[in-house]
Amino acid sequence: MVAKDYPFYLAAKRASCAGGARAAASPPKETEEPSTKRVKPLSRVTSLASLIPPVRATPLKRFSQTLQRSISFRSDSRPDLFSPRPWSRNMPPASTKRRDSKLWSETFDVCVNHMLTSKEIKRQEAIFELSQGEEDLIEDLKLAKKAYHDPMLKLSIMTEQELNQIFGTLDSLIPLHEDLLRRLQEVRKSDGSTEHVGHILVGWLPCLNSYDSYCSNQVAAKALLDHKKQDHRVQDFLQRCLESPFSRKLDLWNFLDIPRSRLVKYPLLLREILRHTPNDHPDQQHLEEAINIIQGIVAEINIKTGESECQYYKERLIYLEEGQRDSLIDNSRVVCCHGELKNNRGVKLHVFLFQEVLVITRAITHNEQLCYQLYRQPIPVRDLVLEDLQDGEVRVGGSIRGAFSNNERIKNFFRVSFKSGSQSQSHSLQANDSFNKQQWLNCIRQAKEKVTCAGKTRVLNSEAHFLLSPNGSRVSQGETTLEQMDQSDSESDCSMDTSEVNLDCERMEQTNSCESEKQIETDV
């Protein structure tokens, strides 16, 4: 072997040794045992991958979801409101149609504005806002009928009876506001200014009494709409409308609630016009009269709407036993406050605060309607004890809940308790947030103050009606008044001579007998 070829020989030998070592390390294929592991084809795995959700819920999250479903009274068939719809997955986001606010000074001739004072310009702006608001209201009411009512009726998404219950007397409000808009446009001058509106409002505002039936129906309409949203077709249709540009990101209930919000806005609009109206202006007196009219109408509608709401919830109370019935509930005309609260075990409760009684219920579905089953005996407000609990003062019950509880679970609690003889109750209730808790505390305190004041008034009236007579016996107020009159007569007669008293008594008896005979003849 030549010396110069020796390095190549060593390299070749090392390579062959390394190859032999690798061959010795790996067994031959003939001696390899067959694998028992089932191997899926790659194409099969790829086809199933699209069906597997990208994120799996943790066991704790699944438990929370199961717990929420167990205490939720909604149907399991209700779709997720935030899940993407098949018809919207591949669609680009639609541009939202926005309603731009208009000003009087920007709509009409600018040259006219220089001839008016600053106060008169503000007055024209307020009048124009009233007119423009009527146009927007009419447009929204027509949109609610055209985009929601008519399609759902045509597609049989809801029955005609259900739609009539939800939309109420919405159709009758459209010509009502069209009439006011027409009157305002008729008195508008060619330059866009308006001189007098007070007499128009005084003549038109009494028409708003027709809002009585519409506002009184809103409680039942909202409950039925929420119940119908559990239907796939209804929810899909409403979601499709919500994502459309015409809705301006408003759902159906926003459109149905626009008339009520417009009604309570009229006093503010009229006060703004009156604020910029000179004292010597002819509209001054008419505007003041119009404000009094609309305030009376709103107050009356508020009372009737409150009574309708109270009656609606009273009819949906379910009593487990006759002993739970209370006359304080039957005699209530107003629901001071109601809403969902949780007890210290996390159970969702729906609490009603009527005028003189607190009712704790659980929401259930009965005959396809949302009802409220009494959870405990009703608590009279006059005997109720209210405690504002500090954060962390209440311990959350339950082993699992206590183990996974955090600071949010022990916040916003307050306690209501009641004890009368052998009966006693105590409930630690949790609000959603601190604001909601404060609202409950204020409402309960106000209800207790009213009940206390009413009780004192009844006691004073009873004491005024029954007074002690001079001999110590209790007599009515009327009898006491007659007795006082007799005493005053006797005291006045004491200053007279005794003979004159006897003579006057005989004359009085004769006069009284004659007058009584004449009275009898007259009555006959």
Side-chain angles (χ1 to χ4, degrees):
M1 179 180 295
V2 185
K4 64 179 181 179
D5 295 332
Y6 183 74
F8 297 100
Y9 168 76
L10 290 178
K13 187 175 181 180
R14 289 171 184 166
S16 62
C17 291
R22 286 196 299 268
S26 60
K29 293 185 179 180
E30 289 78 11
T31 59
E32 184 179 0
E33 295 182 0
S35 176
T36 58
K37 184 177 180 180
R38 182 176 299 175
V39 180
K40 296 181 180 180
L42 182 60
S43 60
R44 178 66 174 174
V45 175
T46 305
S47 62
L48 293 177
S50 60
L51 302 179
I52 301 176
V55 179
R56 298 186 62 183
T58 61
L60 182 60
K61 186 174 181 180
R62 287 202 303 270
F63 168 76
S64 176
Q65 293 172 352
T66 305
L67 181 63
Q68 291 177 0
R69 286 195 297 268
S70 64
I71 61 179
S72 176
F73 303 100
R74 299 177 180 178
S75 174
D76 294 335
S77 62
R78 181 172 182 177
D80 187 4
L81 300 182
F82 301 100
S83 61
R85 303 296 174 191
W87 37 264
S88 63
R89 286 174 182 171
N90 298 326
M91 294 176 59
S95 58
T96 304
K97 179 182 178 182
R98 296 183 178 181
R99 177 175 288 166
D100 298 330
S101 58
K102 299 179 181 179
L103 297 176
W104 176 80
S105 56
E106 298 175 353
T107 305
F108 297 98
D109 190 3
V110 182
C111 299
V112 180
N113 300 338
H114 298 294
M115 303 171 57
L116 302 176
T117 62
S118 175
K119 188 171 184 178
E120 181 60 28
I121 292 177
K122 293 180 179 179
R123 182 173 183 271
Q124 294 299 326
E125 293 286 2
I127 297 175
F128 183 75
E129 182 181 359
L130 173 66
S131 176
Q132 189 63 35
E134 294 300 307
E135 289 187 20
D136 296 340
L137 175 63
I138 294 170
E139 179 182 351
D140 289 336
L141 296 182
K142 291 182 177 180
L143 178 64
K145 177 174 173 49
K146 181 179 179 181
Y148 290 93
H149 179 279
D150 295 346
M152 285 193 289
L153 180 61
K154 186 176 181 180
L155 299 175
S156 300
I157 296 177
M158 289 191 195
T159 64
E160 184 176 1
Q161 182 180 1
E162 292 171 341
L163 291 173
N164 291 337
Q165 177 69 41
I166 293 175
F167 284 81
T169 58
L170 185 73
D171 288 344
S172 64
L173 303 180
I174 298 177
L176 184 69
H177 292 277
E178 286 179 339
D179 180 36
L180 175 60
L181 180 61
R182 178 184 55 80
R183 297 187 188 187
L184 293 176
Q185 291 176 345
E186 287 178 353
V187 296
R188 182 182 295 168
K189 298 180 181 179
S190 58
D191 57 4
S193 61
T194 302
E195 187 68 21
H196 304 287
V197 294
H199 65 288
I200 296 177
L201 296 172
V202 170
W204 178 82
L205 285 175
C207 301
L208 293 179
N209 285 310
S210 59
Y211 266 74
D212 181 7
S213 58
Y214 182 81
C215 294
S216 299
N217 179 63
Q218 279 196 303
V219 179
K222 182 68 165 59
L224 179 58
L225 179 60
D226 291 341
H227 175 70
K228 294 300 295 183
K229 285 182 179 179
Q230 300 177 14
D231 188 349
H232 282 283
R233 298 185 64 197
V234 175
Q235 182 57 41
D236 289 344
F237 178 82
L238 296 179
Q239 184 67 25
R240 188 190 298 257
C241 293
L242 184 63
E243 296 177 1
S244 299
F246 68 83
S247 68
R248 308 193 308 275
K249 298 298 181 182
L250 301 177
D251 60 9
L252 174 57
W253 182 250
N254 292 131
F255 285 100
L256 296 178
D257 194 49
I258 286 177
R260 183 203 58 81
S261 61
R262 178 66 178 177
L263 177 66
V264 298
K265 193 176 180 181
Y266 279 120
L268 302 177
L269 293 172
L270 300 189
R271 288 195 193 98
E272 187 66 16
I273 298 176
L274 179 62
R275 189 163 68 95
H276 300 295
T277 300
N279 295 331
D280 56 349
H281 197 282
D283 254 4
Q284 181 81 17
Q285 183 177 357
H286 291 299
L287 288 174
E288 292 177 352
E289 183 181 357
I291 291 175
N292 293 332
I293 293 175
I294 188 59
Q295 286 179 340
I297 293 175
V298 172
E300 185 67 21
I301 292 178
N302 276 337
I303 294 175
K304 293 183 178 180
T305 303
E307 294 176 352
S308 175
E309 179 188 17
C310 182
Q311 185 64 28
Y312 173 84
Y313 287 117
K314 287 195 299 184
E315 292 175 353
R316 278 152 183 81
L317 293 178
I318 297 180
Y319 301 91
L320 295 177
E321 55 185 15
E322 288 298 322
Q324 292 180 333
R325 295 185 178 274
D326 197 323
S327 60
L328 295 177
I329 300 177
D330 299 333
N331 297 333
S332 297
R333 300 179 60 186
V334 177
V335 180
C336 302
C337 185
H338 75 94
E340 186 179 274
L341 299 172
K342 294 181 182 179
N343 61 9
N344 57 343
R345 295 191 302 273
V347 179
K348 290 183 179 180
L349 303 172
H350 200 98
V351 183
F352 294 92
L353 176 61
F354 293 96
Q355 290 171 290
E356 298 185 11
V357 63
L358 183 75
V359 183
I360 302 177
T361 68
R362 297 181 68 173
I364 63 172
T365 302
H366 180 68
N367 294 334
E368 297 185 354
Q369 285 187 350
L370 181 63
C371 298
Y372 305 92
Q373 186 183 76
L374 265 70
Y375 181 71
R376 290 291 186 270
Q377 196 74 14
I379 301 177
V381 172
R382 64 175 179 274
D383 301 325
L384 184 146
V385 178
L386 177 64
E387 299 178 63
D388 184 4
L389 302 179
Q390 300 298 324
D391 293 342
E393 188 173 344
V394 177
R395 182 178 180 181
V396 180
S399 58
I400 299 179
R401 292 180 182 274
F404 296 102
S405 62
N406 50 26
N407 293 332
E408 293 299 326
R409 284 190 174 276
I410 56 178
K411 287 184 178 180
N412 308 318
F413 270 94
F414 64 93
R415 181 180 292 127
V416 292
S417 56
F418 160 73
K419 186 175 183 181
S420 176
S422 59
Q423 297 181 357
S424 63
Q425 296 184 47
S426 180
H427 305 277
S428 298
L429 304 174
Q430 184 184 28
N432 295 331
D433 49 38
S434 58
F435 178 78
N436 192 9
K437 171 188 173 180
Q438 194 60 42
Q439 291 285 354
W440 275 102
L441 294 176
N442 294 339
C443 288
I444 295 176
R445 288 166 181 164
Q446 291 174 4
K448 286 184 66 66
E449 291 177 0
K450 290 181 180 179
V451 170
T452 303
C453 295
K456 291 180 179 179
T457 304
R458 285 194 293 265
V459 171
L460 293 175
N461 291 338
S462 62
E463 291 179 354
H465 185 70
F466 292 100
L467 300 175
L468 288 176
S469 63
N471 57 4
S473 61
R474 294 178 65 86
V475 295
S476 64
Q477 185 178 4
E479 295 174 354
T480 306
T481 305
L482 293 176
E483 186 176 357
Q484 292 175 353
M485 293 174 63
D486 294 338
Q487 291 179 358
S488 63
D489 290 341
S490 62
E491 291 174 357
S492 62
D493 292 340
C494 290
S495 62
M496 298 172 62
D497 186 71
T498 308
S499 60
E500 293 179 356
V501 171
N502 295 332
L503 182 60
D504 290 340
C505 290
E506 292 177 358
R507 291 175 179 175
M508 289 173 64
E509 291 177 356
Q510 293 176 359
T511 304
N512 293 337
S513 61
C514 294
E515 289 178 355
S516 61
E517 290 176 358
K518 292 180 180 179
Q519 183 65 32
I520 293 174
E521 293 176 358
T522 304
D523 295 339
V524 174

